[in-house]
Short mmCIF file of all heavy atoms in Angstrom, two decimals:
data_model
loop_
_atom_site.label_atom_id
_atom_site.label_comp_id
_atom_site.label_asym_id
_atom_site.label_seq_id
_atom_site.Cartn_x
_atom_site.Cartn_y
_atom_site.Cartn_z
N THR A 226 206.98 78.09 -33.85
CA THR A 226 208.16 77.87 -33.00
C THR A 226 209.09 79.07 -33.16
O THR A 226 209.02 79.82 -34.15
CB THR A 226 208.90 76.59 -33.43
OG1 THR A 226 209.41 76.78 -34.76
CG2 THR A 226 207.98 75.38 -33.41
N SER A 227 209.95 79.25 -32.18
CA SER A 227 210.90 80.38 -32.25
C SER A 227 211.78 80.26 -33.49
O SER A 227 212.15 81.26 -34.11
CB SER A 227 211.75 80.43 -30.98
OG SER A 227 212.42 79.19 -30.77
N GLU A 228 212.10 79.02 -33.87
CA GLU A 228 212.92 78.79 -35.06
C GLU A 228 212.20 79.29 -36.32
O GLU A 228 212.80 79.96 -37.17
CB GLU A 228 213.21 77.29 -35.18
CG GLU A 228 214.00 76.91 -36.41
CD GLU A 228 214.12 75.40 -36.56
OE1 GLU A 228 213.55 74.67 -35.72
OE2 GLU A 228 214.75 74.95 -37.52
N SER A 229 210.90 78.97 -36.42
CA SER A 229 210.15 79.40 -37.60
C SER A 229 209.94 80.91 -37.63
O SER A 229 209.96 81.53 -38.68
CB SER A 229 208.79 78.67 -37.65
OG SER A 229 208.95 77.36 -38.14
N VAL A 230 209.73 81.50 -36.45
CA VAL A 230 209.58 82.96 -36.40
C VAL A 230 210.84 83.63 -36.93
O VAL A 230 210.79 84.58 -37.72
CB VAL A 230 209.30 83.43 -34.95
CG1 VAL A 230 209.39 84.94 -34.85
CG2 VAL A 230 207.93 82.96 -34.49
N LYS A 231 211.99 83.09 -36.52
CA LYS A 231 213.27 83.66 -36.95
C LYS A 231 213.42 83.53 -38.47
O LYS A 231 213.83 84.47 -39.16
CB LYS A 231 214.41 82.93 -36.24
CG LYS A 231 215.79 83.48 -36.53
CD LYS A 231 216.84 82.73 -35.71
CE LYS A 231 218.23 83.27 -36.00
NZ LYS A 231 219.26 82.52 -35.21
N GLU A 232 213.08 82.34 -39.00
CA GLU A 232 213.22 82.11 -40.45
C GLU A 232 212.28 83.00 -41.25
O GLU A 232 212.65 83.56 -42.28
CB GLU A 232 212.94 80.64 -40.75
CG GLU A 232 213.99 79.68 -40.25
CD GLU A 232 213.61 78.22 -40.42
OE1 GLU A 232 212.45 77.95 -40.79
OE2 GLU A 232 214.46 77.36 -40.18
N LEU A 233 211.04 83.11 -40.78
CA LEU A 233 210.07 83.91 -41.53
C LEU A 233 210.37 85.40 -41.43
O LEU A 233 210.12 86.16 -42.38
CB LEU A 233 208.65 83.60 -41.05
CG LEU A 233 208.14 82.20 -41.40
CD1 LEU A 233 206.78 81.93 -40.77
CD2 LEU A 233 208.04 82.01 -42.92
N LYS A 234 210.91 85.83 -40.30
CA LYS A 234 211.30 87.24 -40.18
C LYS A 234 212.45 87.54 -41.13
O LYS A 234 212.49 88.62 -41.75
CB LYS A 234 211.70 87.56 -38.74
CG LYS A 234 210.50 87.79 -37.83
CD LYS A 234 210.92 88.28 -36.46
CE LYS A 234 209.68 88.63 -35.62
NZ LYS A 234 210.03 89.08 -34.26
N ALA A 235 213.39 86.60 -41.24
CA ALA A 235 214.51 86.79 -42.16
C ALA A 235 214.00 86.87 -43.60
O ALA A 235 214.45 87.71 -44.40
CB ALA A 235 215.51 85.64 -42.01
N ALA A 236 213.05 86.00 -43.94
CA ALA A 236 212.48 86.01 -45.29
C ALA A 236 211.72 87.31 -45.55
O ALA A 236 211.75 87.86 -46.65
CB ALA A 236 211.53 84.82 -45.47
N ASN A 237 211.10 87.82 -44.49
CA ASN A 237 210.37 89.08 -44.60
C ASN A 237 211.32 90.24 -44.91
O ASN A 237 211.05 91.09 -45.76
CB ASN A 237 209.60 89.34 -43.31
CG ASN A 237 208.92 90.69 -43.28
OD1 ASN A 237 209.24 91.55 -42.48
ND2 ASN A 237 207.97 90.88 -44.18
N GLN A 238 212.48 90.23 -44.24
CA GLN A 238 213.44 91.32 -44.42
C GLN A 238 214.19 91.20 -45.74
O GLN A 238 214.47 92.18 -46.41
CB GLN A 238 214.42 91.32 -43.24
CG GLN A 238 213.75 91.69 -41.92
CD GLN A 238 214.63 91.44 -40.72
OE1 GLN A 238 215.73 90.90 -40.85
NE2 GLN A 238 214.16 91.82 -39.54
N GLU A 239 214.49 89.94 -46.14
CA GLU A 239 215.32 89.74 -47.33
C GLU A 239 214.50 89.70 -48.62
O GLU A 239 214.94 90.16 -49.67
CB GLU A 239 216.10 88.43 -47.19
CG GLU A 239 217.11 88.46 -46.05
CD GLU A 239 217.71 87.09 -45.78
OE1 GLU A 239 217.45 86.16 -46.59
OE2 GLU A 239 218.43 86.94 -44.79
N LYS A 240 213.29 89.11 -48.54
CA LYS A 240 212.52 88.88 -49.75
C LYS A 240 211.16 89.59 -49.75
O LYS A 240 210.43 89.53 -50.74
CB LYS A 240 212.29 87.38 -49.95
CG LYS A 240 213.59 86.57 -50.00
CD LYS A 240 213.28 85.08 -50.10
CE LYS A 240 214.58 84.27 -50.11
NZ LYS A 240 214.31 82.81 -50.16
N GLY A 241 210.85 90.24 -48.64
CA GLY A 241 209.56 90.93 -48.57
C GLY A 241 208.38 90.00 -48.37
O GLY A 241 207.24 90.40 -48.56
N ILE A 242 208.67 88.75 -47.99
CA ILE A 242 207.58 87.79 -47.75
C ILE A 242 206.98 88.09 -46.38
O ILE A 242 207.69 88.08 -45.37
CB ILE A 242 208.11 86.35 -47.79
CG1 ILE A 242 208.67 86.04 -49.18
CG2 ILE A 242 207.02 85.36 -47.42
CD1 ILE A 242 209.35 84.68 -49.27
N TYR A 243 205.68 88.34 -46.34
CA TYR A 243 205.03 88.77 -45.12
C TYR A 243 204.66 87.56 -44.26
O TYR A 243 203.50 87.30 -44.01
CB TYR A 243 203.80 89.61 -45.46
CG TYR A 243 203.17 90.29 -44.27
CD1 TYR A 243 203.95 90.98 -43.35
CD2 TYR A 243 201.80 90.24 -44.08
CE1 TYR A 243 203.37 91.61 -42.27
CE2 TYR A 243 201.20 90.86 -43.00
CZ TYR A 243 202.00 91.54 -42.10
OH TYR A 243 201.42 92.16 -41.01
N TYR A 244 205.64 86.78 -43.86
CA TYR A 244 205.48 85.60 -43.02
C TYR A 244 204.62 84.52 -43.69
O TYR A 244 204.27 83.53 -43.06
CB TYR A 244 204.88 85.95 -41.65
CG TYR A 244 205.66 87.03 -40.94
CD1 TYR A 244 205.13 88.30 -40.79
CD2 TYR A 244 206.93 86.78 -40.43
CE1 TYR A 244 205.84 89.30 -40.16
CE2 TYR A 244 207.66 87.77 -39.80
CZ TYR A 244 207.11 89.03 -39.67
OH TYR A 244 207.84 90.01 -39.04
N THR A 245 204.25 84.74 -44.92
CA THR A 245 203.40 83.79 -45.64
C THR A 245 203.78 83.83 -47.11
O THR A 245 204.64 84.59 -47.53
CB THR A 245 201.91 84.15 -45.52
OG1 THR A 245 201.72 85.49 -46.00
CG2 THR A 245 201.41 84.03 -44.10
N GLU A 246 203.14 82.97 -47.89
CA GLU A 246 203.27 83.03 -49.34
C GLU A 246 201.88 83.28 -49.92
O GLU A 246 200.87 83.03 -49.27
CB GLU A 246 203.83 81.72 -49.89
CG GLU A 246 202.90 80.53 -49.64
CD GLU A 246 203.39 79.26 -50.29
OE1 GLU A 246 203.99 79.34 -51.36
OE2 GLU A 246 203.14 78.19 -49.71
N VAL A 247 201.84 83.76 -51.16
CA VAL A 247 200.57 83.93 -51.86
C VAL A 247 200.59 83.00 -53.07
O VAL A 247 201.44 83.12 -53.95
CB VAL A 247 200.36 85.38 -52.31
CG1 VAL A 247 199.05 85.50 -53.11
CG2 VAL A 247 200.31 86.30 -51.10
N LYS A 248 199.67 82.05 -53.08
CA LYS A 248 199.59 81.08 -54.17
C LYS A 248 198.43 81.49 -55.09
O LYS A 248 197.30 81.61 -54.64
CB LYS A 248 199.35 79.68 -53.63
CG LYS A 248 199.32 78.61 -54.71
CD LYS A 248 199.20 77.23 -54.08
CE LYS A 248 199.21 76.15 -55.16
NZ LYS A 248 198.00 76.21 -56.00
N HIS A 249 198.76 81.67 -56.36
CA HIS A 249 197.73 82.09 -57.32
C HIS A 249 197.12 80.87 -57.99
O HIS A 249 197.83 79.97 -58.43
CB HIS A 249 198.33 83.03 -58.36
CG HIS A 249 198.74 84.36 -57.80
ND1 HIS A 249 197.89 85.44 -57.73
CD2 HIS A 249 199.90 84.77 -57.21
CE1 HIS A 249 198.51 86.46 -57.16
NE2 HIS A 249 199.73 86.08 -56.84
N GLU A 250 195.81 80.84 -58.05
CA GLU A 250 195.09 79.74 -58.70
C GLU A 250 194.10 80.33 -59.69
O GLU A 250 193.78 81.52 -59.66
CB GLU A 250 194.36 78.90 -57.65
CG GLU A 250 195.31 78.26 -56.62
CD GLU A 250 194.57 77.39 -55.63
OE1 GLU A 250 193.33 77.41 -55.63
OE2 GLU A 250 195.24 76.68 -54.86
#
Side-chain angles (χ1 to χ4, degrees):
T226 65
S227 56
E228 177 187 2
S229 281
V230 170
K231 184 177 180 181
E232 291 173 352
L233 291 175
K234 280 187 175 179
N237 175 245
Q238 293 169 355
E239 295 171 8
K240 303 176 182 178
I242 298 174
Y243 189 47
Y244 306 109
T245 56
E246 63 175 327
V247 177
K248 183 175 182 293
H249 292 270
E250 299 182 351

